Amino acid sequence: MSTLRALARAQAVATGAAQPVATVRHLHLSDRPLVLVPLALAGEANAPLAALVGAAPDQARLLVVPQPRNRDQRFAFAAELAGVVLPYLDSFRTVTEAVAVDRGRDVRHRYVDAPQLLVPNPAGITFLRLFGRSTRFRRVDGDHPVHPSVPLLGRWATFFAERAEQPGSAALLALTDALTLHWATGQSAVEDLHLPAVLGWLDPPAGLTGAEAAVAAEDPARCPPAGPATDPDFDNHRLAPAIEAYARSADDPTARAAAYDELAGLLRDQLAPTWELMWRGVGLLRALPPGARVAGRWAGDRDAFTAYAEHVDAGGGPQPRRDGAVAAALRLQRLERAATAWAVQRAYDDPLVMAEHRLAGEAFVGEVTLADPKRVDDSGRRPVLRPRIQVVTTEPVPMPVGATLWSPARPGQKATIVFLTPGADGKTEVVLELSGGMGRGLTAPAGSVPEVGERICLTSLSDGFLPGGAFPAPEETPWTHGGPPEHHDE
């Protein structure tokens, strides 16, 4: 936890209200997200019990598994869920756009938009990951066949679960994570996994402080758990008798219908409060303006969605149960690069996030006191424009002479430290030489060089391209790493 976030949590405790830790929204939010509130049977590995799913507050559809331990009913639930999710995914596959590649020498096409799934908390993402694992390899023929939509849904569930691992991706979001990324509550990180408590801090009812609303939200009778876990008291005293009543009614269609309706009503009452909280949370996030680099990260999600849709259309196989050595190394590198880019882009978009890096000695803010925008360096084979500026700051400058810095206001421009002169009054004079972001001529365009009096932020964090590493082809995996991966049908 950073110093500023710890301070924000302390202020939340002192004031009884959540504190903002962001000035912009750092995640894309779809105009039509698909909200999924899952519920699983306690004590069973990924045994779906019920789900509320829909793309609008008034479009909640309840799916119920009356006997979660019954294999046929579980896959019937999967087929019913596929009947909601797959058409939603297909609705984004109608319009494409051309994207220039290879420096404009070629083009590729991607969908202009992509689906977005929202679940209450990280446990909902885990539910989808396990759900995908249990369904994507199922056969549609032979012994124990399932509906053809079931393995397809499993593959898409796995796709979204894998995208959720990517820092900065918004294809699958846990709402608790999205909210606490932008606000700090006065409770622990574990308590922040409880959606009713988080929204108690962020949007308390009239007459209550955030702290009081969060305490009230801990009552499972008023705010049932946000899935997929259920309350033990609910399991023992209400759910178990309803499931047993349904099981006893097997020989009486009228009694079975009544038992099903009673069970469905019980589960709807359990899920409905979380459904309402999900859309309240979406409204809070919509009120924040998106960061400048959010669209670029969403473009990456659209690229991934397009690529996987094309893979499915071409008859490609499901994701393997586990990655081979090369695939695992590529995944790790991709996640590491995404994590680095995510941290830098958030700082560039948001002064509050950049403040954390200023405290860590990775950035400073100062005022431009001198500027020479016409300076030309003619010491090389040809003259080049190299303006210099002097920045005076009262903040520590731990970067050495020769270090390269960047400014979020001009991310394409490098600033190399030429001189550092600490002053007796606690101020430091920093002389920087600028390159890039000024065209190819010997005259800097207006606004490309900071002017005297301008207050700028300079940081060692770079938002530039991160090159990838070199890895062998999967079929050339050395024996020290298990050799080439074996391919199986399952």
Side-chain angles (χ1 to χ4, degrees):
M1 183 184 300
S2 69
T3 302
L4 283 184
R5 183 167 283 270
L7 176 61
R9 283 187 179 273
Q11 289 178 329
V13 172
T15 62
Q19 301 295 306
V21 290
T23 61
V24 297
R25 175 164 37 85
H26 293 284
L27 297 166
H28 174 81
L29 198 57
S30 173
D31 293 334
R32 191 168 57 94
L34 185 70
V35 171
L36 173 64
V37 183
L39 206 59
L41 186 67
E44 295 286 333
N46 198 245
L49 177 62
L52 269 182
V53 58
D58 59 350
Q59 294 179 1
R61 180 172 175 182
L62 177 66
L63 311 179
V64 175
V65 184
Q67 294 177 301
R69 294 182 179 88
N70 183 296
R71 178 187 180 279
D72 293 335
Q73 289 190 18
R74 286 162 67 163
F75 288 116
F77 165 86
E80 195 174 2
L81 181 60
V84 178
V85 175
L86 296 182
Y88 171 77
L89 302 183
D90 290 339
S91 68
F92 292 88
R93 301 185 57 189
T94 56
V95 183
T96 61
E97 63 182 2
V99 181
V101 295
D102 196 17
R103 297 185 178 180
R105 289 190 287 267
D106 199 0
V107 297
R108 60 181 174 83
H109 291 83
R110 71 179 174 207
Y111 295 116
V112 297
D113 202 0
Q116 182 180 55
L117 272 58
L118 302 180
V119 294
N121 49 34
I125 296 176
T126 301
F127 175 90
L128 278 180
R129 180 179 294 109
L130 295 175
F131 184 81
R133 182 186 301 174
S134 67
T135 54
R136 71 178 185 265
F137 294 112
R138 296 296 171 181
R139 296 187 179 277
V140 299
D141 53 13
D143 295 335
H144 307 293
V146 298
H147 191 275
S149 63
V150 171
L152 180 58
L153 175 63
R155 294 167 66 179
W156 277 112
T158 302
F159 165 80
F160 281 101
E162 290 180 346
R163 288 301 298 174
E165 298 177 354
Q166 180 103 352
S169 170
L172 171 60
L173 293 178
L175 193 59
T176 52
D177 286 350
L179 292 171
T180 54
L181 180 68
H182 300 87
W183 288 275
T185 68
Q187 58 189 11
S188 70
V190 173
E191 291 169 313
D192 278 346
L193 299 177
H194 189 233
L195 183 60
V198 171
L199 281 169
W201 281 97
L202 271 60
D203 189 22
L208 294 180
T209 67
E212 292 169 343
V215 171
E218 295 293 338
D219 182 2
R222 298 177 57 183
C223 298
T230 53
D231 178 62
D233 185 71
F234 168 81
D235 290 345
N236 295 328
H237 297 98
R238 303 183 65 190
L239 178 62
I243 292 178
E244 290 174 4
Y246 179 85
R248 288 194 304 268
S249 64
D251 298 330
D252 186 343
T254 303
R256 168 146 290 204
Y260 179 87
D261 290 343
E262 180 182 354
L263 178 60
L266 182 66
L267 293 172
R268 180 179 287 277
D269 291 343
Q270 190 77 3
L271 291 168
T274 299
W275 177 265
E276 296 173 1
L277 292 176
M278 291 290 291
W279 293 103
R280 277 176 55 193
V282 169
L284 291 175
L285 289 172
R286 285 198 197 284
L288 291 174
R293 290 162 179 78
V294 168
R297 292 193 294 273
W298 183 242
D301 282 324
R302 290 191 286 131
D303 285 333
F305 172 67
T306 302
Y308 194 70
E310 292 174 348
H311 172 79
V312 171
D313 291 345
Q319 299 92 334
R321 295 189 185 277
R322 59 180 62 87
D323 289 331
V326 174
L330 287 169
R331 181 195 294 267
L332 178 60
Q333 183 197 58
R334 184 177 67 251
L335 295 180
E336 289 175 341
R337 293 170 64 194
T340 301
W342 165 239
V344 173
Q345 289 175 10
R346 286 182 58 229
Y348 272 46
D349 282 353
D350 195 333
L352 267 182
V353 179
M354 182 61 81
E356 298 179 0
H357 295 280
R358 289 165 63 184
L359 286 175
E362 298 173 327
F364 65 89
V365 171
E367 182 179 339
V368 178
T369 56
L370 296 173
D372 183 5
K374 298 181 180 181
R375 179 179 178 274
V376 174
D377 182 359
D378 56 3
S379 61
R381 297 177 58 183
R382 60 182 181 86
V384 290
L385 183 65
R386 290 293 183 268
R388 285 188 177 182
I389 61 173
Q390 177 177 278
V391 176
V392 176
T393 180
T394 58
E395 299 178 17
V397 184
M399 301 85 169
V401 171
T404 301
L405 306 180
W406 288 264
S407 172
R410 299 173 180 84
Q413 186 175 86
K414 296 180 180 179
T416 303
I417 297 179
V418 180
F419 300 109
L420 276 174
T421 308
D425 55 356
K427 297 181 179 180
T428 301
E429 296 177 351
V430 187
V431 176
L432 303 117
E433 183 174 286
L434 308 181
S435 61
M438 298 174 290
R440 298 186 177 183
L442 295 180
T443 302
S448 62
V449 176
E451 299 178 353
V452 173
E454 181 178 342
R455 191 168 176 82
I456 64 172
C457 175
L458 293 162
T459 176
S460 58
L461 304 173
S462 171
D463 191 26
F465 172 73
L466 297 174
F471 295 93
E475 60 272 13
E476 297 176 355
T477 304
W479 66 268
T480 53
H481 291 71
E486 298 181 3
H487 298 284
H488 301 283
D489 293 336
E490 295 187 354

